[in-house]
């Protein structure tokens, strides 16, 4: 696709004696349908197409982008990127390459999914709302019953004769509902992501959300103090998605991560292994290459508590004198950054109940709020509103009214005393199993 446009870019670059450049083109289509009281409450459809150009002149890099692909627009964009490279003050070494392809065949696009009609998606969203109300008489409101899907195509080429492309798609369903008993109201949320529309089961999503809301009814207060804490798999993933930036080599180079100087040192519990896997079967962010065209790979950031590497693009890798980890990220509008692909904590072999048997009583956290305002992603300090259960002898005794959990993410990684086998991913492609931490501050 877009062969004519990329040939035009080569021709224009030659005309203007531009010898070092790359081009990033992306198209995307997304749809989300939200149902409320049996009617369509919102219907959001978006299309995007754009081309970003990066020009390297010596140690200076210029960027520009366009959303028009005619020759005149491409020439103006290329010249803008060249002019930007000439005037920027910041210097960094950038080397482009004709990177090899991966050998693994990835199942990241479903032709059948692309043909699902809008009517079928609306029907499914309505089924989720109805099933949520029908699941229990204590479900009094279902503010969100949503079906969505997205499809994206990426093509990258550079002056080293590399040209690569891929297309991917996925769909999801979710329910957010409210349960009420007397004067107490609790919420529950459940989502499912797949590349097979038939995997989106209204009954599973609605019952999952309803169960989460109902089981929090009847909450009691709890005395403030330090407790062992079990983060269920979703909340462990929430913590990782909040603090993943500490693993970015760019953040390390800029002095924005306390992991600077910690390579090959023990920074976490021996129970903890964290993996970034762009080749993960069924992963939401599985893809054959990163946004510089570098081949995707599986990277163990932490192995049994020891920090092996940071997440790199080619620029940070060149600065550190090592190969890239294939984590370059960009949109056609932005400069090159770093992002994880499918990032997750390696699951253990024991159940959640088995790992919690090592402590007599503990707090299980099943909801967190305030990840942005209550977390300092540089120092690692966090203080978040939470909901969960007081537990004894591996059994839930009663739900707890809203409380605050406080700690430090760097210390938390050292305090993990158990990891369960129940790995689960969120829509953000960051996943975790349930983790047991020996002690955190709880304020009731």
């Amino acid at each position: 696709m877009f062969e004519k446009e990329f040939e035009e870019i080569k021709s224009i670059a030659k005309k203007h004696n531009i010898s070092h450049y790359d081009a990033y083109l992306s198209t995307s289509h997304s749809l989300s349908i939200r149902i409320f009281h049996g009617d369509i409450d919102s219907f959001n459809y978006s299309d995007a197409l754009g081309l970003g150009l990066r020009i390297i002149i010596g140690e200076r890099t210029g960027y520009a982008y366009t959303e028009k692909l005619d020759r005149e627009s491409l020439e103006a964009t290329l010249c803008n990127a060249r002019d930007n490279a000439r005037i920027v003050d910041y210097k960094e070494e950038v080397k482009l390459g004709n990177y090899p392809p991966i050998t693994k065949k990835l199942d990241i696009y479903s032709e059948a999914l692309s043909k699902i009609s809008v009517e079928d998606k609306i029907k499914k969203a309505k089924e989720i709302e109805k099933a949520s109300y029908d699941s229990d008489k204590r479900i009094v409101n279902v503010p969100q019953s949503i079906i969505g899907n997205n499809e994206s195509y990426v093509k990258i080429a550079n002056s080293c004769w590399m040209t690569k492309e891929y297309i991917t798609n996925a769909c999801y369903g979710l329910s957010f509902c409210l349960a009420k008993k007397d004067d107490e109201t609790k919420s529950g949320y459940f989502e499912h992501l797949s590349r097979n529309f038939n995997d989106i089961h209204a009954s599973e999503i609605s019952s999952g959300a309803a169960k989460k809301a109902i089981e929090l009814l009847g909450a009691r207060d709890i005395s403030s103090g330090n407790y062992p804490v079990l983060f269920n798999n979703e909340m462990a993933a929430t913590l990782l998605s909040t603090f993943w930036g500490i693993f970015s080599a760019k953040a390390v180079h800029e002095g924005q991560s306390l992991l600077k100087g910690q390579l090959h040192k023990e920074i976490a519990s021996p129970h903890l292994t964290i993996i970034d896997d762009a080749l993960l079967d069924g992963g939401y962010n599985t893809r054959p290459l990163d946004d510089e065209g570098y081949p995707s790979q599986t990277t163990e950031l932490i192995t049994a508590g020891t920090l092996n590497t940071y997440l790199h693009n080619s620029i940070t890798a060149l600065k550190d004198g090592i190969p890239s980890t294939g984590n370059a990220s960009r949109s056609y509008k932005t400069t090159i950054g770093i992002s994880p692909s499918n990032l997750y904590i390696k699951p253990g072999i024991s159940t959640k109940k088995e790992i919690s048997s090592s402590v007599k009583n503990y707090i299980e956290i099943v909801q967190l709020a305030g990840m942005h305002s209550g977390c300092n992603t540089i120092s690692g300090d966090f203080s978040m509103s939470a909901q969960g259960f007081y537990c004894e002898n591996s059994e839930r005794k009663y739900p707890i009214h809203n409380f605050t959990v406080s700690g430090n993410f760097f210390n938390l990684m050292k305090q993990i005393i158990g990891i369960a086998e129940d790995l689960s991913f969120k829509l953000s492609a960051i996943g975790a199993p349930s983790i047991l931490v020996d002690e955190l501050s709880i304020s009731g």
Side-chain angles (χ1 to χ4, degrees), residues 141-438:
N141 197 357
V142 186
Q144 296 187 40
S145 297
I146 299 177
I147 285 290
N149 67 279
N150 56 68
E151 179 173 316
S152 61
Y153 165 83
V154 171
K155 183 167 187 172
I156 303 170
N158 66 26
S159 50
C160 294
W161 304 100
M162 182 196 75
T163 300
K164 294 182 178 180
E165 61 187 341
Y166 69 90
I167 186 169
T168 183
N169 62 357
C171 62
Y172 62 90
L174 67 87
S175 172
F176 175 75
C177 64
L178 302 177
K180 186 173 184 180
K181 183 181 180 182
D182 301 325
D183 294 329
E184 184 182 27
T185 302
K186 296 293 182 181
S187 63
Y189 174 91
F190 193 91
E191 64 196 15
H192 187 75
L193 173 78
S194 179
R195 292 190 171 88
N196 185 343
F197 190 69
N198 293 325
D199 285 345
I200 308 298
H201 298 291
S203 58
E204 177 192 4
I205 293 169
S206 58
S207 62
K211 181 174 183 288
K212 288 181 177 180
I214 291 167
E215 65 188 10
L216 287 170
L217 293 172
R220 306 181 198 174
D221 293 323
I222 189 167
S223 300
S224 298
N226 292 331
Y227 293 84
V229 171
L230 177 72
F231 291 92
N232 76 358
N233 49 14
E234 292 181 353
M235 295 308 104
T238 297
L239 276 177
L240 185 59
S241 67
T242 302
F243 288 101
W244 75 262
I246 63 174
F247 298 107
S248 164
K250 189 169 186 292
V252 172
H253 292 168
E254 294 173 350
Q256 301 293 311
S257 170
L258 295 183
L259 292 184
K260 184 175 184 177
Q262 298 300 306
L263 280 178
H264 312 302
K265 294 181 180 177
E266 191 173 295
I267 64 161
S269 157
H271 295 284
L272 185 64
T273 294
I274 297 181
I275 300 168
D276 182 80
D277 189 357
L279 304 174
L280 182 69
D281 291 335
Y284 183 54
N285 277 347
T286 298
R287 47 9 179 218
L289 50 126
D290 72 1
D291 289 339
E292 290 182 301
Y294 197 87
S296 291
Q297 65 180 54
T298 303
T299 305
E300 281 200 3
L301 296 171
I302 294 177
T303 301
T306 298
L307 179 64
N308 299 317
T309 184
Y310 308 120
L311 296 172
H312 283 279
N313 58 29
S314 71
I315 301 169
T316 59
L318 185 62
K319 188 175 290 187
D320 285 0
I322 61 172
S324 171
T325 57
N327 290 98
S329 65
R330 69 196 287 191
S331 76
Y332 65 83
K333 293 182 179 180
T334 66
T335 59
I336 297 288
I338 291 175
S339 293
S341 58
N342 303 298
L343 182 70
Y344 65 98
I345 295 172
K346 185 179 179 179
I349 58 174
S350 302
T351 65
K352 189 165 66 172
K353 187 172 184 176
E354 287 169 340
I355 65 167
S356 60
S357 65
S358 63
V359 292
K360 183 179 179 181
N361 61 334
Y362 59 94
I363 306 297
E364 180 183 2
I365 292 179
V366 299
Q367 290 189 22
L368 287 169
M371 277 69 75
H372 297 292
S373 60
C375 299
N376 185 320
T377 55
I378 297 176
S379 69
D381 293 333
F382 61 82
S383 179
M384 294 179 281
S385 174
Q387 295 195 60
F389 299 88
Y390 176 74
C391 306
E392 286 182 356
N393 301 320
S394 300
E395 300 288 345
R396 291 177 176 177
K397 292 301 179 182
Y398 52 84
I400 310 168
H401 283 302
N402 287 359
F403 57 93
T404 301
V405 56
S406 304
N408 178 278
F409 186 72
F410 294 97
N411 292 334
L412 182 149
M413 289 195 295
K414 297 174 182 174
Q415 293 175 295
I416 294 173
I417 56 177
I419 295 181
E421 38 76 50
D422 57 343
L423 172 64
S424 176
F425 280 84
K426 294 169 64 68
L427 292 181
S428 62
I430 293 182
S434 300
I435 60 173
L436 181 64
V437 180
D438 67 351

Side-chain angles (χ1 to χ4, degrees), residues 97-110:
N98 189 354
Y99 306 116
I102 61 169
T103 56
K104 182 176 180 179
K105 183 174 175 57
L106 302 178
D107 181 18
I108 57 175
Y109 181 76
S110 167

